[in-house]
Each structure stands twice: as structure tokens, then as C-alpha cells.
Amino acid sequence: MNSIAKRLLKSVKRGQAVWLRSSSAQSGEQHLRKLVLGIETSCDDTGAAVVDDAGNVLGEALHCQKQVHLQAGGIIPVVAQQLHRENIEQVVKEALSVSGVSVRELAAIATTVKPGLALSLEVGLQYSLTLVNKYQKPFIPIHHMEAHALTIRLTHHLEFPFLVLLLSGGHCILAVAQGVSDFLLLGQSIDIAPGDMLDKVARRLSLRKHPECHSMAGGKAIEHLAQTGNRQQYTFRLPLQQYRNCDFSFSGLQNLVNNTIIQKEKEEGIQEGEILSCVKDIAAAVQHAVALHIIQRTYRAMLFCIKNSILSSRNATLVVSGGVASNQYIRKGLQTLADANDFAFLCPPPRLCTDNGVMIAWNGIERLRAGLGVLHSTDGIRYEPKAPLGIDISKRVEEYSIKVPKLRKKIQW
């Protein structure tokens, strides 16, 4: 491990890690319920939670690595893995302790096995299998994106089917949730995810040096500065305009933004790493372009689902989840789009939009109820860094060639 990684690990041990705990334990009836322990280590957060089959979160714990990776300018997989190893036992013990539940009382243990960072997934799977084998409990392997998609059914009474948009630092997916483990994939990012792109733009703008943003993650810094910026000062061409599908692309947009930054640095006579005077306007324009691209593809997905009777026009719902879903500008645009098309609009609370153990435990409950993917033998179980979600019908969407009306008629910020 390099010297930077070692220094980062030392900084964590000095107390930079962030812990979250909660409990809504309903004592007295716990022994009558099915309880699932969920464990999440797909990226840079170590999460665990105990949830019962009535949807009560009995206890949870989360070890957040954000501050460590913020220092490095991005996630270092070997550092993430080491931090998972150092903290997973304590996180699981904390969740169990707060819930007042012992491992022996669990109906099953659910764990993220796909997709994600290989080194991170490995830690969660190995630890979970140790518990499964020691206590002879059923094991439920969880698809990380399925868990994000179904979290809304923990917080709201929502029946299948519904349209779901998953936005994060690692994913951008449009799908129809038809049932537990039953998804139709309408479109996804063909290169990088929106959160990743916003983080890279923030790094290129050196926003950690900005007095208002030194402790913020990249995407959050962009959102913060955009609030007082003028998005109309810059116009970035939206990606994939010639393709009538529901796929996303953010790398080309990032290149356009980088070129603008380089040009402005030349005009202002400053070097890379210094703060541009127009940084707020660039942040606002970037955020607006990302929002429009996401909204435009989502609009096509709505029209496709209604025209093909995949969703009913009388009670259709758009669910938005993932870390980028907490961006209020993007969320407001999607809310307006949903309202204009008579879709209900639902988002999990912000703390459940980012990676956490609760969503994994809840997905375990959903699968336990449905009798899907509950393993009594873990022979041959493996983690999968890359894994598709559901049945891919994106080609069918493109063949339908739906022209999306001008967004300015629908979206008013």
C-alpha cells in the first residue's frame, strides 16, 4: 500500500470516521417476526441493519469513509477494503446491539454481492459467510441496485409496477420494477455515472479550495455553488440527442465542461488549481445540463411505458433513488416532469438514498417473503463487480423511436 493510503488509514484511526445509529425497535413482539440482518460493503460505506417483516428498522449502524477519500480526491479501492475490514465487525455488532437482537434470532442474513468494487464486496461476503456458517442461517445474496429500487416499499405503501430512476456516483439506470427480482431495464449510462461526472468536474474546478466547499464532496459542492450561479452564462450541448432511447452519457459532457474551464483559465490568466471567478456560473450550467439530460431520458421512459401499457396511465409512479437523487435541483425538475405527466413522484428519505444496511436488510425481507434467492447452501457463491439489472429491453425502446416534446414547455425551475 502506498504512503498516501497509509496516511489516510492513520487519519481514520484518529477519529475522522463518521458513525450513524438508529433504532425503532418494537419490543415485545420481536420473537413473532421474521428478522433479517443486512450487510452492505459495495463501495466506501460499511453498513449493517436489522429489519423485521413489518418494515420496522430495529437497529442500524454505518461507518462512512467519505472524509478519507475526499482527502485523496477519489475512492482508493485498497483503502476502502482495509477500512471495511477494520470496521465491519463493529458495525454489525452495533446494529445488532441497538436492535436488541442476537444472530440466533435472525431468519436470514442478506448481503450485497453485486455490483460494486471487487475488493469491497469481498469483505462483506467473507464476513457474512462466516456468520452464516457459524450460526447455520439462510443466506440472501443481494443485487445492490435492486435494493436501491425497492427501498421505497419500506418507506411508502407502493405496489408493483413502477418506474424507477437510480442516480448515484456509480450508476444511472432507468427500469420498471414489476416485482421483487423482476425488472425491465429501459436504459443506463453507456460510460460514467452522473455522480462520478459531477465529482470530476468539482475536482477540475478545485472546489476543495473554495472557502464555501472545503469539506463538501464534489457533487454537493457543485449543487451548493450553483444556487448562486447563473446557469445561462454557459450552454452545454446535451448528450445523445440523435438517439431516441433511454440511455445516458456523461463523459462527453464532462469533456465539454473541461474545455470551457481551460478556456476561462486562459482568459483569466490563472493556472489549473486556482479558483475561477466564474466558478458559480459554471457549476450552475453543469448542474442544469446534467438535470436536463436525466429528465429528457426519463420523459421518454414515461411515454414508452404508458404507450406500451407497461404502466397504467391512471396510477403510474416514478421513484427516484441513489445519492444524486438528493440533489434538490435535479429532484425538483423530475418532480415537475412527473406532475406534468400525471405520475406520482416518490423518493426515499436522503439517508436511505445513499448506501446503507437498511436497504439490504429490507431487500432480504422482500426476497424472504417472495421465496426468491434464499440460499441454504452457500457453496459456489461469489461476488460480482459487474451485474446487469433485470431484462434489458433498451433496444425495444430505441426501436419505438419516441420523440420527446421540448422540455421547456414542461419544466419550470
Side-chain angles (χ1 to χ4, degrees):
M1 191 177 299
N2 61 35
S3 59
I4 295 177
K6 289 179 179 177
R7 286 201 303 274
L8 292 174
L9 290 175
K10 286 181 181 178
S11 72
V12 172
K13 292 174 182 176
R14 288 198 297 269
Q16 290 190 2
V18 178
W19 285 82
L20 300 176
R21 307 171 189 170
S22 77
S23 174
S24 56
Q26 307 289 320
S27 59
E29 296 183 18
Q30 284 184 28
H31 64 286
L32 300 175
R33 300 172 181 168
K34 289 184 178 178
L35 309 169
V36 170
L37 168 67
I39 298 176
E40 156 65 14
T41 64
S42 68
C43 190
D44 60 337
D45 287 339
T46 313
V50 178
V51 176
D52 69 14
D53 56 1
N56 295 302
V57 180
L58 305 181
E60 64 174 308
L62 180 72
H63 177 268
C64 179
Q65 303 177 10
K66 182 183 78 171
Q67 291 302 320
V68 178
H69 297 294
L70 194 60
Q71 293 177 35
I75 295 172
I76 304 174
V78 292
V79 173
Q81 181 187 50
Q82 183 62 30
L83 293 175
H84 283 309
R85 284 176 174 162
E86 291 180 3
N87 291 287
I88 189 167
E89 184 171 11
Q90 179 59 32
V91 168
V92 171
K93 284 183 177 179
E94 190 75 22
L96 289 168
S97 175
V98 172
S99 69
V101 171
S102 69
V103 178
R104 288 183 175 81
E105 295 174 87
L106 298 171
I109 295 173
T111 304
T112 305
V113 300
K114 61 185 177 183
L117 296 177
L119 296 178
S120 295
L121 290 169
E122 180 184 26
V123 177
L125 180 57
Q126 285 182 348
Y127 185 83
S128 299
L129 293 183
T130 299
L131 286 180
V132 165
N133 293 330
K134 179 178 179 180
Y135 294 96
Q136 294 298 295
K137 294 294 178 181
F139 181 67
I140 307 176
I142 299 296
H143 190 298
H144 183 77
M145 303 317 294
E146 177 182 312
H148 270 305
L150 299 185
T151 300
I152 197 68
R153 284 168 47 85
L154 170 66
T155 60
H156 296 76
H157 180 72
L158 179 62
E159 299 295 330
F160 296 111
F162 54 87
L163 179 63
V164 61
L165 172 63
L166 303 175
L167 303 169
S168 72
H171 301 276
C172 189
I173 294 173
L174 267 169
V176 176
Q178 298 188 121
V180 179
S181 193
D182 182 5
F183 291 82
L184 298 177
L185 179 65
L186 305 178
Q188 60 187 324
S189 177
I190 61 174
D191 39 57
I192 63 175
D196 185 24
M197 180 242 171
L198 290 171
D199 286 345
K200 287 175 177 175
V201 170
R203 284 200 295 274
R204 183 60 183 81
L205 288 169
S206 302
L207 295 190
R208 283 203 66 216
K209 296 180 181 179
H210 196 286
E212 297 177 27
C213 306
H214 63 89
S215 63
M216 294 180 182
K220 195 67 181 175
I222 293 284
E223 181 182 8
H224 173 75
L225 293 180
Q227 291 175 354
T228 50
N230 181 359
R231 62 177 171 82
Q232 295 179 329
Q233 289 296 317
Y234 303 93
T235 301
F236 298 112
R237 187 176 68 253
L238 297 185
L240 304 182
Q241 290 299 286
Q242 68 274 37
Y243 298 102
R244 293 185 180 180
N245 58 30
C246 288
D247 286 334
F248 303 85
S249 172
F250 296 95
S251 62
L253 181 56
Q254 181 192 331
N255 289 336
L256 291 177
V257 175
N258 285 345
N259 290 338
T260 297
I261 294 170
I262 291 169
Q263 181 61 35
K264 296 307 294 182
E265 286 172 343
K266 289 179 180 177
E267 291 177 12
E268 296 190 11
I270 66 173
Q271 299 294 317
E272 179 178 342
E274 297 179 69
I275 303 296
L276 287 166
S277 64
C278 57
V279 67
K280 293 185 177 182
D281 295 340
I282 291 176
V286 170
Q287 179 178 253
H288 184 66
V290 168
L292 280 182
H293 181 46
I294 290 170
I295 291 165
Q296 187 181 66
R297 315 314 271 192
T298 304
Y299 192 1
R300 180 172 286 114
M302 288 176 166
L303 296 175
F304 175 82
C305 289
I306 297 300
K307 288 177 183 291
N308 287 272
S309 300
I310 295 173
L311 297 175
S312 168
S313 59
R314 293 191 304 275
N315 59 354
T317 299
L318 170 64
V319 171
V320 182
S321 189
V324 178
S326 63
N327 180 296
Q328 293 303 305
Y329 189 83
I330 295 173
R331 184 183 290 206
K332 184 176 179 182
L334 289 164
Q335 170 84 67
T336 306
L337 177 70
D339 291 345
N341 287 277
D342 296 321
F343 270 62
F345 181 79
L346 295 176
C347 289
R351 74 181 189 89
L352 295 182
C353 280
T354 51
D355 296 348
N356 61 87
V358 173
M359 70 180 194
I360 306 305
W362 174 250
N363 199 174
I365 289 291
E366 292 261 39
R367 284 181 164 268
L368 198 63
R369 284 174 176 167
L372 293 169
V374 182
L375 307 179
H376 296 274
S377 171
T378 57
D379 292 344
I381 189 72
R382 298 286 186 271
Y383 57 86
E384 301 174 46
K386 294 184 178 181
L389 177 68
I391 299 170
D392 188 346
I393 64 166
S394 58
K395 293 299 182 186
R396 182 179 156 199
V397 175
E398 187 163 15
E399 289 167 1
Y400 215 78
S401 191
I402 296 173
K403 184 178 181 180
V404 174
K406 293 291 185 181
L407 284 172
R408 63 175 174 269
K409 296 179 181 179
K410 291 276 185 180
I411 307 300
Q412 297 294 327
W413 271 281

